[in-house]
Structure formats: C-alpha cells, structure tokens
C-alpha cells in the first residue's frame, strides 16, 4: 500500500525495536550515556520518571503485544486497535512529573493522530487508491531524480500533489493532508530527538503538547 505509512508507522514503538531501546534504556547509566549526560546534569526526578516509562510500557503495550510484534498494516481495525493501546500508554505517561516525558507523549500522540486519519474513515478510499504509484509520479514531477527511497526529501510537496489526485471525498482528502502534516512535524522532531531530549532533561522544560487542532 503506501510506503510513507510505513515510515510514519515505524515511528510507533510497536513496530520498531530500536524505539523501545531509545525510549526505555535499561538502566540509569544507559540513559545517561545514551544522552551524553553527566549525572549532575540531570534532575533526579527525571531518572525516576524514566523508569515510569518502562512501567507504563509494560502495563499497556507489553500486555497486549508480545514483543517483538509486526502489525499487519493491511488490517485497519487491528491498526486502530493498536492506536487505542498507544493511547493508554500516552495517558499513563501523562501522570509523570518529569517534563521530558512530554517528548515520548508527543511522539505517541502524533502517531495515534496519523494512524486514526489514515486508517479511520478515509481508509476505505485510501487503500483502494494507488498511492505509491501517484507518489512516484508526483515525486518525479517534483524532482526527476527523487525516488521513494529518498523520502522524506520533498515529502510534503509530493504528498500535496498526491492528495490532489486522490479519487476520494473531500473529508478523506483532508484526513490524508492532516496525516501528512503531522507526519512531517513528527519527522522533524524525530530527526532531532536526542538533542531535544537532552534539552528537556537538563532544563526540565516540557516540549510542546501535540495539538490535533493544528492539523484540522
Ligand atoms: C561530570 O560533571 C563533573 C562535575 O561537574 C565534571 O567534573 C566531570 O568532568 C563531568 N564528566 C563528564 C563526562 O562530562
Ligand atoms: C485484524 O485485527 C483484529 C484486531 O486485532 C483481529 O481481531 C482480526 O482477526 C484481524 N483480521 C485479520 C484478517 O487478520
Ligand atoms: C485501555 O485501558 C482501559 C483501562 O485499563 C482498558 O479497559 C482498555 O481495554 C484499554 N484499551 C486497549 C485498546 O488496550
Ligand atoms: C532532488 O533529489 C535529490 C535526491 O534526494 C537531491 O539530492 C536533490 O538536491 C534534489 N533536487 C532538487 C532540485 O530538489
């Protein structure tokens, strides 16, 4: 189906082993060394909060999905159900007092939003549209040397071109664009995730909350 969905969905902790390691280093030492931080740089509450992430993961995701799990991206109801599990994870994390937990919460909330827009009401039409084919022809128009492998270079422009060609209703079109825009913002956070985490942990300042209204 759509390659780019794989890219955004692979941001989900459920499908990518590295993400689990990234979010939940096994020990305090691992966390500090991953972030290149010194113990004295870190608010003690955030070290405890990191363990809280692991507990939330176990309580919500691990109980539902025996790790490692590959989700079937052709099964929309299964994917939506996974988004429900992620919502429980996000709600659990929200109870923590560490500002840096705002970052995994943002990633999870953005992923849920993307999934719900692509696999909700719009799924029926999107899954029948040849999105990969449209994507390739739009990418070629945008930049003759750009291949799907070079995503997300020009991702937004190319996806807007795809949206205009979709044989779907206006509301499906809007869902698709909302998912694209949220995916671009998620990707931008993702590419700087390490430094963003370091800043949030050192300064104990929260990252912005994911705001679905911004994409409607
Ligand atoms: C850790 O912090 C201490 C005290 O600020 C400093 O002396 C030491 O060099 C730091 N170590 C690293 C690896 O940054
Ligand atoms: C799709 O996922 C749902 C929910 O996880 C599951 O009950 C159902 O059996 C799956 N359908 C197929 C065809 O795999
Ligand atoms: C989310 O948590 C609630 C309360 O524990 C539970 O009833 C529900 O089944 C969970 N949802 C999913 C999709 O796991
Ligand atoms: C076209 O895509 C290639 C590969 O991603 C990139 O190196 C190049 O700068 C792009 N050219 C333009 C005009 O955007």
């Amino acid at each position: 189906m759509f390659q780019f969905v794989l890219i955004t969905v692979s941001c989900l902790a459920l499908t990518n082993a590295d993400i689990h390691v990234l979010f939940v280093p096994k020990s305090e030492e691992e966390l500090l060394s991953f972030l290149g931080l010194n113990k004295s740089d870190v608010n003690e509450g955030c070290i405890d909060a990191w363990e809280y992430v692991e507990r939330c993961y176990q309580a919500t995701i691990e109980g539902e999905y025996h790790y490692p799990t590959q989700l079937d991206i052709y099964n929309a109801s299964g994917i939506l159900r996974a988004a429900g599990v992620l919502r429980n994870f996000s709600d659990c994390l929200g109870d923590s007092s560490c500002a840096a937990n705002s970052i995994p919460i943002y990633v999870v909330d953005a992923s849920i939003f993307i999934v719900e827009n692509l696999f909700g009401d719009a799924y029926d039409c999107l899954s029948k549209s040849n999105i990969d084919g449209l994507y390739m022809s739009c990418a070629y128009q945008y930049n003759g040397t750009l291949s799907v492998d070079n995503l997300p270079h020009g991702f937004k422009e190319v996806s807007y071109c795809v949206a205009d060609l979709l044989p779907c209703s206006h509301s499906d079109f809007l869902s698709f664009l909302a998912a694209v825009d949220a995916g671009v913002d998620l990707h931008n956070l993702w590419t700087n995730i390490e430094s963003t985490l370091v800043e949030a942990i050192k300064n104990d300042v929260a990252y912005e909350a994911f705001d679905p209204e911004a994409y409607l």
Side-chain angles (χ1 to χ4, degrees):
M1 199 184 30
F2 13 110
Q3 291 248 5
F4 80 90
V5 175
L6 286 174
I7 292 173
T8 42
V9 171
S10 72
C11 286
L12 302 180
L14 292 175
T15 58
N16 188 330
D18 295 343
I19 306 309
H20 182 229
V21 174
L22 177 62
F23 278 163
V24 194
K26 286 183 202 66
S27 64
E28 183 179 329
E29 289 69 30
E30 255 180 50
L31 172 64
L32 294 175
S33 102
F34 171 71
L35 296 171
L37 289 177
N38 204 323
K39 190 162 183 185
S40 56
D41 293 333
V42 180
N43 166 337
E44 194 58 38
C46 274
I47 298 277
D48 297 343
W50 210 259
E51 286 160 10
Y52 191 71
V53 176
E54 175 84 59
R55 283 209 296 282
C56 286
Y57 182 87
Q58 284 166 354
T60 57
I61 297 178
E62 212 164 74
E64 294 292 329
Y65 294 96
H66 298 291
Y67 193 80
T69 304
Q70 279 292 330
L71 287 171
D72 174 7
I73 72 155
Y74 297 98
N75 182 347
S77 69
I79 297 280
L80 288 174
R81 188 168 176 287
V85 173
L86 282 181
R87 180 152 339 265
N88 279 357
F89 179 57
S90 166
D91 289 347
C92 176
L93 290 182
D95 293 336
S96 147
S97 59
C98 175
N101 273 7
S102 57
I103 294 167
I105 292 173
Y106 183 100
V107 170
V108 170
D109 289 350
S111 302
I112 294 168
F113 179 82
I114 292 165
V115 163
E116 287 180 346
N117 275 282
L118 294 176
F119 292 87
D121 292 342
Y123 182 77
D124 198 37
C125 184
L126 294 180
S127 63
K128 288 182 189 133
S129 312
N130 175 15
I131 293 189
D132 281 346
L134 294 176
Y135 199 96
M136 275 184 276
S137 82
C138 282
Y140 189 78
Q141 282 172 41
Y142 173 73
N143 172 345
T145 63
L146 192 64
S147 74
V148 176
D149 298 338
N150 286 328
L151 284 173
H153 180 93
F155 178 73
K156 197 163 182 164
E157 292 78 0
V158 175
S159 298
Y160 278 41
C161 161
V162 170
D164 284 336
L165 300 175
L166 287 174
C168 299
S169 69
H170 188 62
S171 74
D172 295 347
F173 164 88
L174 293 178
S175 293
F176 180 80
L177 283 190
V180 165
D181 287 338
V184 168
D185 288 345
L186 178 58
H187 177 81
N188 289 340
L189 167 62
W190 200 250
T191 50
N192 296 311
I193 191 98
E194 229 173 292
S195 59
T196 311
L197 275 169
V198 167
E199 283 311 303
I201 289 178
K202 271 173 122 167
N203 305 329
D204 206 25
V205 174
Y207 191 73
E208 64 183 285
F210 178 78
D211 177 16
E213 301 283 322
Y215 302 100
L216 300 179

